[in-house]
Amino acid sequence: ENQNRLTHNSFALFAIFWTFGIDFYQKNYITQYTYTIDWNSFRNCTLLESIQIPAHVSYIGASAFNHCTSLETITFEGNSLTHIDNWAFSDCPIKSVYIPASVTQIGWGAFNCPQLQEIHMLGENPPTLGNSSPFANFNATLYVPKGCATKYWAAPIWGDFKNIVEE
């Protein structure tokens, strides 16, 4: 199972590439065989610009991509991801994100990204949230599947969004 986890210890490999000036961080480096992205795995990777989360990943740990100050694009492949933990993508300049229907839990501060303007929820049911909001900007537009706005308005914290649009 350890071979299928990207752990905070994996950062040592990235540090070696960074030390020698290889622009490794700017490219996606999560293999298709990764099932878990552990806490702090990419934290403070300031050159990381985009990331594709492979289809088999089911869990993104706390602060996994925290403070990746160049990370603007996140692509979630497949429908295996169920849990995005606390502060997973906080302090990233993400403007838009599409969260897969398979996500059932989002931790507090997971998308504490002040520049986030669009959140596209692909699931009909709102995921369970942590003790406080995963989002920094309730002025962002929350997009939900057609016929689901009422569920999101009624759910704790989700109803705090000023603009919920069905798509």
Side-chain angles (χ1 to χ4, degrees):
E1 181 178 340
N2 286 339
Q3 66 206 21
N4 297 328
R5 294 180 70 138
L6 185 58
T7 68
H8 59 280
N9 293 329
S10 301
F11 186 73
L13 173 65
F14 298 113
I16 290 168
F17 282 99
W18 180 77
T19 301
F20 293 103
I22 300 171
D23 69 353
F24 186 79
Y25 288 122
Q26 293 176 305
K27 297 175 177 55
N28 180 20
Y29 192 70
I30 301 176
T31 70
Q32 65 181 352
Y33 303 107
T34 301
Y35 295 97
T36 298
I37 300 173
D38 214 342
W39 62 281
N40 290 337
S41 292
F42 288 88
R43 186 175 188 191
N44 293 321
C45 290
T46 58
L47 297 179
L48 183 66
E49 296 173 350
S50 67
I51 196 79
Q52 282 185 286
I53 307 297
H56 297 307
V57 171
S58 62
Y59 174 80
I60 298 175
S63 297
F65 295 91
N66 175 269
H67 206 259
C68 292
T69 55
S70 296
L71 182 60
E72 293 183 357
T73 307
I74 305 166
T75 304
F76 296 104
E77 297 176 349
N79 241 352
S80 296
L81 183 63
T82 59
H83 188 145
I84 302 172
D85 211 340
N86 302 339
W87 306 104
F89 294 97
S90 67
D91 298 319
C92 297
I94 302 162
K95 293 183 180 123
S96 177
V97 65
Y98 286 78
I99 298 177
S102 56
V103 173
T104 58
Q105 187 170 2
I106 302 175
W108 48 272
F111 292 94
N112 187 27
C113 307
Q115 296 177 32
L116 188 59
Q117 295 300 311
E118 295 182 0
I119 302 155
H120 299 262
M121 299 302 301
L122 302 180
E124 294 181 2
N125 296 309
T128 301
L129 304 178
N131 294 333
S132 64
S133 176
F135 308 102
N137 185 3
F138 284 108
N139 291 320
T141 301
L142 178 64
Y143 292 92
V144 300
K146 286 189 188 281
C148 298
T150 303
K151 289 181 187 179
Y152 280 85
W153 282 114
I157 300 174
W158 292 104
D160 293 341
F161 278 93
K162 292 176 178 45
N163 195 15
I164 299 179
V165 176
E166 294 183 347
E167 60 179 357

